[in-house]
Each structure stands twice: as structure tokens, then as C-alpha cells.
Amino acid sequence: MAVTEPVPEEAPSGRSTGTSPAGTGAVAAPPGARPAHEGILRRQSARESAARTYARALPIVPVRARGLTIEGADGRRYLDCLSGAGTLALGHNHPVVLEAIRKVLDSGAPLHVLDLATPVKDAFITELFRTLPAGLADHARVQFCGPAGTDAVEAALKLVRAATGRTGVLAFTGAYHGMTAGSLEASGGAFDVRVARLPYPQDYRCPFGVGGERGAELAARWTESVLDDPKSGVRRPAGMILEPVQGEGGVIPAPDAWMRRMRQITADRSIPLIADEVQTGVGRTGAFWAVEHSGVTPDVMVLSKAIGGSLPLAVVVYRDDLDVWEPGAHAGTFRGNQLAMAAGTATLAYVRENRLAERAATLGARMLDRLRSLAREFPCLGDVRGRGLMIGVELVDPEGESGPRGIDAPLVATRADDGLDAFTEADGAGAGAGAGAGAGASAGDATLRTASRSTSAQAPCPAAPALALAVRRECLRRGLIVELGGRHASVVRLLPPLTITDEQAAAVLDRLADAMTAVSRDQARGQIRDPGHGDRAQANRPNRPRRHPEQVPRQGDPAESAPSA
């Protein structure tokens, strides 16, 4: 197997070859002395907040990185399929990003300018608008926020409330929009909030127990009923916020036809539609922006992560008729990050010019096919799903008791005589009225019809977070970094950079397969125990105080302390 990156020492024989730490440039510790990285990890544990997340699951000390590869202070190298939780569209330290940063540094330009106009900002906005969905760029405004995606979500919610004079928000089960107060209210684990929660369609764990087109149609009709029923308890909201692919919710792509239906429902009722593209944007899902799969043009787009080219940057882009801000209505001291804008411009242009979104679609489809083949080998791989290079594998207990479906019906296309009409081309066309949302309906309908091809007609098996933890641990031992997500932290997520090569993708899947083999062997020996139903995340978090219901795990939070690799 050809691998373009050096392979870690502990890679299993038969899959890859090993290299010694001496070849990595690491400095050997004197005999009897503890390696320096162990001291760094101990000091981090002693001094940093208990809120840290990734550091618990990944006990490594990165010192160098390039592309897909991270090198730790101990000399080991890892293939990084976390990519800064989707931030690194071009991987670590891409040459075009480094060149853009150096150019600004060498120019003598100011690095901090609040919201003043600069050539660097002008270039970033020009490139960003060049990539926006048709129908938005020509009538758009951009708001620079504090440098985190959650601040952009806060700004979007404030904006639609100011523009409509209304206060309520529609959000979806399983959502993740950030960790500040307003963003948490709209996220799936929220507690005691003023947000109406709607069902997000999915196949494997359909909230209505049917999946496919029928489940998506039920979800859409529920949304209409909540809005139109004067006794639903939900007043006309200020906006609807949704993710075109739920990331932390378990890598769940929204059906294209359902997306068009949400666009139509909101447009017909003068409800601004907010698309949270913080994790899905900049080519990640196989289109530059994930809403483009369905042809939907939202009223507001929330952007962060990859748009900064690995540096902190967040913006809200919205229709100009929503621009009702008073000066200073939403501000931030660090909304003028010149280095991030330069790195972002280089990243956006590189993804666009090199057609990396199309590359993500092609390679992602091949990786999904390979993973579905792997699922036939390992019964504990309950579902494989994703879009582009945003991939999730749900670990389940195949022998556990499953709850019955809402009705005894296989996941099949809806019949005309069952009273639940499948989405049609007319739905997409109607959504475009006043919203620019009708394009691409045929392709979207085909996607919806085939979305549940990996899902059986049986009720889903119970989630197995202990198995997911074990898979992640075994991946790390083999030099592969992955993260967990999903409702029970039972979904292994792959977010490789868009620049990943075919050879590297093969290496990633080989190592994941090896990890699955090791975990299945340990499971057969009874060495992996699932804590069962209930608070699974808490059961996997030894010696930690219980979390208050309001404390929602942040993105990818395993909610436990993973064993050292």
C-alpha cells in the first residue's frame, strides 16, 4: 500500500510499514528520564479547565503538521481526520495559506483594525461573494463577528429578531449551533428555552419510525402544523435555523427535497431561513455550500471554520432587506482579523479554482462505498452515512433489544394511496418563489429516494458508545485521529481535509478497518462492556461529577477521559 505520509510505529503489520522515531527528528530523552511530552500533558491536566474536550480523547502533543499529517512531540505521526473539527479545508499549513499570511506580515499592514476597510478585507469579501449561492450574492450584506461560529449564530438570531420584530426561533432536534447562550438555545441539548424544536428527518433513527421519503414528509407536515395551528403554542417565529448536514448530531444529511420544503414553508410565511454552514461550508459536502445540493437560497448564512483558512474568522451573510442594524448593534473587537482574512481568501480561491468540492463528492462517495462494504463484515456498524468528505459510522449493539418502529412498515417509497404524498418537483419549484430555491430538484429527489439504501426495514439497534470509544482508541493507536458525535457519542466521524489523496484515503480506511477488527475481537472476548441505556455519556466518564442538564457537550465532546494510546 502506497502512503504519502510516514506511518506511525504502531501501525499493524500487513497494512503499512513502520518508521522509527529517530527518523522523525524527535530528540530522545536521556535514560531514565520521562519524555518531555508527558510533562506537558500532566501540566495541561493540572492547569487547564475541566471543560477541555479533545485533549482528553487525544493525549498527544502536536509539534509539526502538514496536510493530513500531525507529528507529536514523541515522534509519532498521525493521519488527522478531525481537521480542527472541519476547520482545515486544505489540511495543516497548506503552502497557499502560509504564503498569504507571510505576505501580510511582510507588507507592514496593520494586523488589528476593528471594522475599518482594508485591501485585505476587500479581497476577502470579493472572493467570498464570488462563491455564494446564486440569488444571494447580488443582494447580500456581510457582518463580521467575533471570531467564533457561535458568535455568528448569535448575530444571525439577533438580526432576524430585529428585522421581523418577533422573538421566537424554530430549530431542530439534534442540532448543534455553538456554546454561547443563544446558540445553545437552538441546539439539540438545550434546557428550558424559548425555541420551538422540530423533527429533523433521518433514516436510521427516524423520529416517526418509518424513514425515507415518508419520514421526511411527516417531518415537513409536522412543521407546517406547528406554524399554522393557532393552538400549537408556537407563535410566528423570527426565523428558522438549520444545518444542511447535522454534524455533531451524528452526520445526518438533510434530504434535498425536505430542504426545498423548508424553504417553501418559511418563504410562504415570511420567516427568514438561516442556514448554519459553519461546518458544512467551503466544499466539505461536495458542493461549495451544502445548501447548493438542494438549490435552496437561504435568507441568512452563518459561516466560520474553513473560511478563515485555519485562523479564527466568522461572518453572517444575509439579504440586504434584512440589514436593519443600528451602528454597533452587533460588534466585536476582533472582527477585523487581517491574517485570517488573507488566509481565508487564499483558501476560498484554492478550493474554487481547483474544484475541490467536486473532488470531495467523488472521493467521499468511494469512501462511503468502502465503509458500507465494511459494515457487511462487522454487524456492529449499524449505519454508514454522510455527504462528500463529511462521513459518519454509527456503532451499535447488534444483539441489543431494539424498540419497535412507530408502525410496522419497511423503509420504502411512499405509495400514492397511503395519504402521504412523496415530495415532487412542484415542491421545489414552489420553494423558489421569492426565494431563489427551485434549482436542482430532480437531482435532489433522486438523492432522497436513495438516501436510505444502507438502512434495513428493521428497527435500529441500540447505540453502542463504548464500542465507539474503543474504535477511536484503536484508531489512535494505529496513527489515525477521528472524533465522535451523535446523540449518544456513538458515531465515529471522518472529516479529512479536501486535499486528501486517494492513497491517503486508502490508508485511513485500512487503519479504521484494523481498528474495527481489534474492537470486534475484544468484544467477542467480553473485554468491552456497553453501559446500556440511560446516560451513556455520563457512564463513560469515570470519576467526574454529573453534568447539569443545562451543560450541553460541545462539538465532538466524548464526555469522558479516554485511555492513553
Side-chain angles (χ1 to χ4, degrees):
M1 179 189 69
V3 183
T4 59
E5 314 282 355
V7 180
E9 273 194 330
E10 296 181 16
S13 60
R15 294 286 188 183
S16 53
T17 59
T19 59
S20 69
T24 66
V27 178
R34 285 183 175 272
H37 74 280
E38 292 187 9
I40 294 173
L41 291 172
R42 286 197 307 274
R43 288 190 292 277
Q44 180 187 44
S45 178
R47 299 189 297 201
E48 289 192 25
S49 166
R52 66 190 187 282
T53 55
Y54 299 110
R56 297 180 184 275
L58 304 172
I60 62 178
V61 179
V63 293
R64 278 177 290 276
R66 184 65 173 263
L68 183 67
T69 300
I70 288 178
E71 182 181 328
D74 59 354
R76 294 192 63 207
R77 289 188 172 96
Y78 302 85
L79 301 183
D80 180 12
C81 277
L82 175 57
S83 298
T87 298
L88 305 173
L90 304 183
H92 294 276
N93 295 334
H94 194 281
V96 303
V97 172
L98 297 182
E99 180 183 2
I101 293 172
R102 290 191 187 103
K103 185 176 180 181
V104 175
L105 292 174
D106 293 342
S107 71
L111 299 183
H112 187 279
V113 293
L114 296 171
D115 63 354
L116 301 180
T118 70
V120 173
K121 178 193 277 189
D122 184 65
F124 172 79
I125 296 174
T126 299
E127 182 59 40
L128 176 64
F129 276 41
R130 184 178 289 133
T131 70
L132 291 176
L136 181 59
D138 293 339
H139 307 282
R141 294 289 184 270
V142 59
Q143 166 75 24
F144 287 85
C145 309
T150 188
D151 192 64
V153 170
E154 297 279 357
L157 297 179
K158 285 173 61 176
L159 174 71
V160 296
R161 284 167 171 153
T164 64
R166 303 188 290 263
T167 58
V169 173
L170 296 177
F172 291 87
T173 55
Y176 178 82
H177 298 293
M179 290 300 293
T180 50
S183 301
L184 277 175
E185 284 189 346
S187 298
F191 180 77
D192 189 23
V193 298
R194 53 177 176 164
V195 172
R197 198 76 51 192
L198 300 169
Y200 192 93
Q202 54 176 308
D203 288 325
Y204 191 63
R205 301 192 185 278
C206 175
F208 303 102
V210 294
E213 292 180 0
R214 195 176 184 195
E217 170 67 8
L218 287 169
R221 291 196 177 192
W222 179 264
T223 300
E224 288 182 314
S225 175
V226 164
L227 289 171
D228 296 341
D229 181 355
K231 296 298 184 180
S232 70
V234 177
R235 294 184 178 182
R236 183 69 56 87
M240 172 190 286
I241 184 168
L242 58 77
E243 300 159 276
V245 180
Q246 286 195 343
E248 312 312 319
V251 190
I252 303 173
D256 292 336
W258 178 85
M259 284 286 294
R260 288 191 288 274
R261 186 69 166 269
M262 293 303 102
R263 174 67 282 185
Q264 181 179 1
I265 288 171
T266 53
D268 289 349
R269 293 160 179 80
S270 300
I271 300 171
L273 178 63
I274 306 168
D276 183 341
E277 292 256 16
V278 168
Q279 193 168 106
T280 55
V282 195
R284 169 62 57 189
T285 68
F288 207 99
W289 306 107
V291 292
E292 293 177 321
H293 290 292
S294 58
V296 164
T297 300
D299 303 300
V300 183
M301 291 178 67
V302 179
L303 313 177
S304 187
K305 289 191 185 290
I307 67 164
S310 77
L311 298 180
L313 188 64
V315 302
V316 182
V317 179
Y318 50 90
R319 288 194 343 253
D320 54 9
D321 61 304
L322 296 174
D323 193 26
V324 297
W325 291 123
E326 294 292 333
H330 194 84
T333 301
F334 294 102
R335 66 192 185 276
N337 190 332
Q338 298 293 284
L339 292 182
M341 291 178 190
T345 302
T347 298
L348 294 171
Y350 192 90
V351 172
R352 176 180 56 82
E353 293 168 359
N354 290 276
R355 305 177 68 87
L356 292 190
E358 291 90 333
R359 163 71 176 166
T362 301
L363 182 56
R366 291 207 300 266
M367 293 178 73
L368 284 169
D369 286 343
R370 169 83 185 276
L371 289 167
R372 287 179 178 129
S373 297
L374 199 63
R376 290 190 286 271
E377 181 180 349
F378 297 102
C380 61
L381 294 185
D383 194 37
V384 175
R385 53 188 180 256
R387 202 156 203 176
L389 290 175
M390 191 172 182
I391 297 171
V393 179
E394 183 164 352
L395 277 295
V396 300
D397 178 4
E399 298 180 358
E401 293 185 4
S402 301
R405 287 191 177 278
I407 59 175
D408 294 325
L411 298 181
V412 295
T414 304
R415 297 194 307 270
D417 60 353
D418 67 5
L420 293 171
D421 300 330
F423 294 148
T424 64
E425 187 78 20
D427 291 329
S442 297
D445 290 343
T447 299
L448 183 59
R449 285 195 296 271
T450 60
S452 42
R453 59 183 175 181
S454 66
T455 309
S456 73
Q458 303 301 317
C461 297
L467 286 180
L469 289 170
V471 169
R472 181 178 60 191
R473 181 171 61 248
E474 293 297 332
C475 283
L476 191 64
R477 286 174 175 164
R478 287 155 176 78
L480 175 62
I481 296 173
V482 297
E483 74 164 331
L484 301 183
R487 268 61 164 186
H488 303 287
S490 61
V491 178
V492 175
R493 302 184 59 203
L494 300 177
L495 293 165
L498 309 187
T499 52
I500 185 173
T501 66
D502 290 349
E503 293 80 11
Q504 289 171 334
V508 166
L509 297 180
D510 282 345
R511 296 180 192 192
L512 179 58
D514 283 332
M516 286 300 310
T517 299
V519 169
S520 295
R521 182 179 61 245
D522 291 344
Q523 184 185 29
R525 295 172 178 170
Q527 296 175 347
I528 299 175
R529 185 176 66 86
D530 194 304
H533 295 287
D535 190 351
R536 293 174 179 269
Q538 189 65 37
N540 282 307
R541 192 178 189 184
N543 303 318
R544 300 290 299 157
R546 284 190 64 84
R547 182 188 293 115
H548 187 275
E550 289 184 85
Q551 294 176 297
V552 183
R554 62 168 294 161
Q555 57 182 163
D557 183 2
E560 42 64 49
S561 183
S564 178

